[in-house]
């Protein structure tokens, strides 16, 4: 008899009873741990109580599994007992929480869950209960970080993605132009989502991030804006920190390459397959340069480790004016790109790619990635890297201008970006 045959001989009720008992005990142990941490015994139940509640639910359920009258009656009696306990706790100890009571009801419901649902769902429920009951302090700490606008921001995010986008028609606005309300807002949604993730990471996961981490996260939002902010901060920074600001600027550019690669993968799979290697090479080179700069002449100037910086992008990515501005730019670049290609061909597209480098290149790149133009993916790839090269060159001038020509900063930025731009140009010949 093999193992599977042996398992098949075990009564199903025995297996269910064992699972309910173990899961109930685990929940009870988590409640016991919480009580011990608080240092009080003035709570309902413990590990044994919760285990017995689970067993009670199992017995009443299997005795009458179809009508479930016994199970429902047991649940009502348990509810009365818990209400009495809550009233006693409220009157004598002034404690208002009902987490333990809800957890007791969830434990009581394990029997039908184990008996009727797949194991993965039961395990998911039990794990979720354990995590939620254990993470009380984490939730309190997390909630303290929210200001009055955070839930409004979340509501806007849900509105933008879940309500506005599905309602828009996917029919062309103008005949001959592959521009639909759905595609316009889809592009806006993708950028807003990426920016919102960066915003949440900076605000809640790394609220006291150093200069370099601020550059990395800022690059997810906008590498150009991040370089400008870093240059402004560098203007008055101690000499020992200047090197770190330059590293942060290059780190922002490395995440910019990754961000563009993600956009390509979403909107143009064929182009993604063609450009992925080039983008990964540029990302690796940027990371290598940033690492080299971080340790460059480290002994001469001790690099200060900033505990908290003000280099984050403060503009809320979920402001509707920001989303609408991006949508407007997307529409404008769609028309400009279409008629540039129509009247001037790929040469005109190359010139346009250079010109848009002094602005935010993201709307322009998305118009290329969504396609609909009479050009090859090779031409789109060349235009993409040309726009990025132009943007990187512009960052040098922005760095010089906004840092007040802080020579120690601009020298490092010029050398690093000069190498990055040169390599980027070399890669154009391999496309």
């Amino acid at each position: 008899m093999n193992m599977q045959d042996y398992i098949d001989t075990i009564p199903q009720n025995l297996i269910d009873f064992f699972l309910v008992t173990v899961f109930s005990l685990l929940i009870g142990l988590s409640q016991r741990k919480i009580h011990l941490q608080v240092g009080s015994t003035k709570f309902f139940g413990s590990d044994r109580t919760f285990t017995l509640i689970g067993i009670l639910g199992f017995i009443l359920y299997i005795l009458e599994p179809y009508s479930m009258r016994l199970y429902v009656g047991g649940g009502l009696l348990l509810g009365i007992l818990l209400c009495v306990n809550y009233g006693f706790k409220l009157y004598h100890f002034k404690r208002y929480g009902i987490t333990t009571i809800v957890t007791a009801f969830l434990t009581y419901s394990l029997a039908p869950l184990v008996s009727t649902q797949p194991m993965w769902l039961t395990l998911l429920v039990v794990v979720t209960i354990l995590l939620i009951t254990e993470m009380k302090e984490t939730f309190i700490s997390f909630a303290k970080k929210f200001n009055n606008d955070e839930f409004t921001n979340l509501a806007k995010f849900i509105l933008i993605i879940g309500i506005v986008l599905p309602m828009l028609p996917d029919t062309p606005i103008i005949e001959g132009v592959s521009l639909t309300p759905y595609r316009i807002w889809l592009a806006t949604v993708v950028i807003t989502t990426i920016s919102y993730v960066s915003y949440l990471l900076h605000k809640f996961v790394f609220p006291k991030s150093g200069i370099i981490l601020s550059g990395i996260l800022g690059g997810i939002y906008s590498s150009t804006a991040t370089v400008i902010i870093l240059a402004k901060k560098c203007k008055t920074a101690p000499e020992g920190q200047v090197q770190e600001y330059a590293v942060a600027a290059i780190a922002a550019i490395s995440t910019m390459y990754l961000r563009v690669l993600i956009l390509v993968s979403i909107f143009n799979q064929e182009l993604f397959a063609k450009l992925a290697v080039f983008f990964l090479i540029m990302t690796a080179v940027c990371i290598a340069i940033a690492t080299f700069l971080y340790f460059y002449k480290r002994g001469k100037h001790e690099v200060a480790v900033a505990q908290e910086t003000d280099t984050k992008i403060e503009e809320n990515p979920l402001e509707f004016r920001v989303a609408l501005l991006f949508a407007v730019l997307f529409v404008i670049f769609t028309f400009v790109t279409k008629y540039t290609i129509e009247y001037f061909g790929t040469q005109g597209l190359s010139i346009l790619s250079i010109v848009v480098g002094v602005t935010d290149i993201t709307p322009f790149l998305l118009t290329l990635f969504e396609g609909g133009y009479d050009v090859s993916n090779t031409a789109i790839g060349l235009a993409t890297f040309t726009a990025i090269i132009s943007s990187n060159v512009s960052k040098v001038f922005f760095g010089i201008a906004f840092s007040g020509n802080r020579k120690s900063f601009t020298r490092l930025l010029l050398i690093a970006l000069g190498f990055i731009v040169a390599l980027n140009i070399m890669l154009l010949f391999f496309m």
Side-chain angles (χ1 to χ4, degrees):
M1 180 180 293
N2 58 37
M3 181 60 69
Q4 185 60 47
D5 292 336
Y6 177 75
I7 293 175
D8 291 339
T9 62
I10 301 175
Q12 187 61 44
N13 281 345
L14 178 59
I15 297 175
D16 293 346
F17 173 77
F18 175 77
L19 291 175
V20 169
T21 303
V22 171
F23 292 152
S24 301
L25 178 60
L26 288 175
I27 294 172
L29 287 171
S30 71
Q31 294 300 308
R32 168 80 75 176
K33 180 175 176 288
I34 294 171
H35 298 173
L36 291 175
Q37 287 176 339
V38 175
S40 173
T41 59
K42 300 170 183 178
F43 292 88
F44 169 81
S46 63
D47 42 16
R48 292 175 301 167
T49 306
F50 280 86
T51 305
L52 292 173
I53 288 175
I55 293 174
L56 174 66
F58 176 79
I59 293 172
L60 296 179
Y61 175 75
I62 64 170
L63 286 177
E64 204 174 21
Y66 299 107
S67 65
M68 297 182 66
R69 287 177 297 182
L70 288 176
Y71 181 78
V72 172
L76 291 174
L77 290 175
L78 178 63
I80 293 172
L81 176 62
L82 292 174
C83 287
V84 171
N85 174 265
Y86 182 71
F88 179 82
K89 181 178 70 171
L90 192 65
Y91 181 77
H92 289 281
F93 305 119
K94 308 300 181 186
R95 295 186 179 275
Y96 301 92
I98 62 170
T99 303
T100 305
I101 294 175
V102 175
T103 305
F105 275 116
L106 289 171
T107 305
Y108 184 75
S109 68
L110 285 177
L113 187 66
V114 168
S115 300
T116 63
Q117 301 302 312
M119 180 55 63
W120 67 264
L121 181 59
T122 304
L123 290 172
L124 178 62
V125 170
V126 173
V127 169
T128 303
I129 293 172
L130 294 175
L131 287 175
I132 290 177
T133 55
E134 285 284 335
M135 295 176 66
K136 177 180 178 181
E137 296 301 323
T138 303
F139 289 141
I140 293 174
S141 175
F142 187 73
K144 288 179 179 179
K145 297 178 183 178
F146 276 78
N147 57 35
N148 295 333
D149 297 327
E150 293 306 327
F151 285 104
T152 303
N153 290 338
L154 181 59
K156 289 178 181 178
F157 184 65
I158 296 172
L159 176 65
I160 289 173
I161 291 182
I163 299 177
V164 176
L165 183 62
M167 292 174 60
L168 295 175
D170 194 15
T171 53
I173 299 174
I174 299 176
E175 188 175 351
V177 181
S178 60
L179 191 66
T180 70
Y182 180 84
R183 287 179 175 271
I184 295 171
W185 201 248
L186 177 62
T188 305
V189 163
V190 171
I191 294 300
T192 301
T193 302
I194 293 174
S195 301
Y196 190 46
V197 169
S198 172
Y199 172 80
L200 293 178
L201 287 173
H202 221 151
K203 186 174 181 64
F204 296 108
V205 182
F206 306 106
K208 296 184 178 180
S209 56
I211 297 171
I212 296 175
L213 186 55
S214 294
I216 294 172
L217 296 176
I220 300 174
Y221 185 99
S222 169
S223 59
T224 301
T226 302
V227 170
I228 291 173
I229 292 175
L230 288 167
K232 286 180 179 179
K233 299 297 178 182
C234 175
K235 189 174 183 179
T236 57
E239 187 62 32
Q241 266 188 358
V242 171
Q243 182 176 327
E244 198 168 0
Y245 279 99
V247 173
I250 303 304
I253 293 170
S254 69
T255 54
M256 178 266 293
Y257 279 102
L258 285 178
R259 176 166 56 90
V260 175
L261 182 59
I262 291 171
L263 294 177
V264 177
S265 68
I266 293 173
F267 290 99
N268 193 325
Q269 291 290 324
E270 185 180 342
L271 185 62
F272 171 76
K274 186 178 184 64
L275 297 183
V277 174
F278 299 102
F279 274 103
L280 292 176
I281 290 173
M282 291 308 305
T283 302
V285 168
C286 290
I287 293 173
I289 292 174
T291 304
F292 174 79
L293 288 181
Y294 182 75
F295 293 103
Y296 174 68
K297 292 185 178 180
R298 189 179 175 90
K300 183 177 179 181
H301 296 294
E302 182 181 355
V303 179
V305 179
Q307 296 298 318
E308 185 173 4
T309 65
D310 191 24
T311 57
K312 21 179 133 171
I313 307 296
E314 295 295 343
E315 190 165 27
N316 180 1
L318 293 177
E319 286 291 343
F320 278 111
R321 60 186 178 85
V322 177
L324 291 175
L325 176 61
F326 180 88
V328 170
L329 288 174
F330 181 78
V331 172
I332 291 173
F333 277 118
T334 298
F335 281 102
V336 170
T337 304
K338 173 181 171 53
Y339 291 113
T340 298
I341 293 173
E342 186 174 322
Y343 290 104
F344 302 102
T346 55
Q347 186 176 3
L349 179 62
S350 299
I351 296 173
L352 179 61
S353 302
I354 297 173
V355 173
V356 299
V358 298
T359 66
D360 184 358
I361 63 173
T362 304
F364 170 70
L365 294 182
L366 282 184
T367 63
L368 292 178
F369 299 157
E370 284 209 336
Y373 303 111
D374 189 21
V375 291
S376 65
N377 273 331
T378 299
I380 294 176
L382 289 171
T384 298
F385 271 102
T386 301
I388 292 174
I389 291 169
S390 177
S391 177
N392 284 338
V393 172
S394 299
K395 289 181 179 70
V396 175
F397 293 100
F398 290 144
I400 294 172
F402 287 96
S403 68
N405 196 19
R406 183 80 181 262
K407 295 191 180 301
S408 52
F409 174 78
T410 56
R411 184 178 67 253
L412 291 175
L413 191 65
L414 183 60
I415 294 172
L417 281 176
F419 186 82
I420 291 170
V421 168
L423 178 60
N424 223 157
I425 292 174
M426 290 175 59
L427 290 178
L428 292 178
F429 294 99
F430 294 92
M431 289 186 183

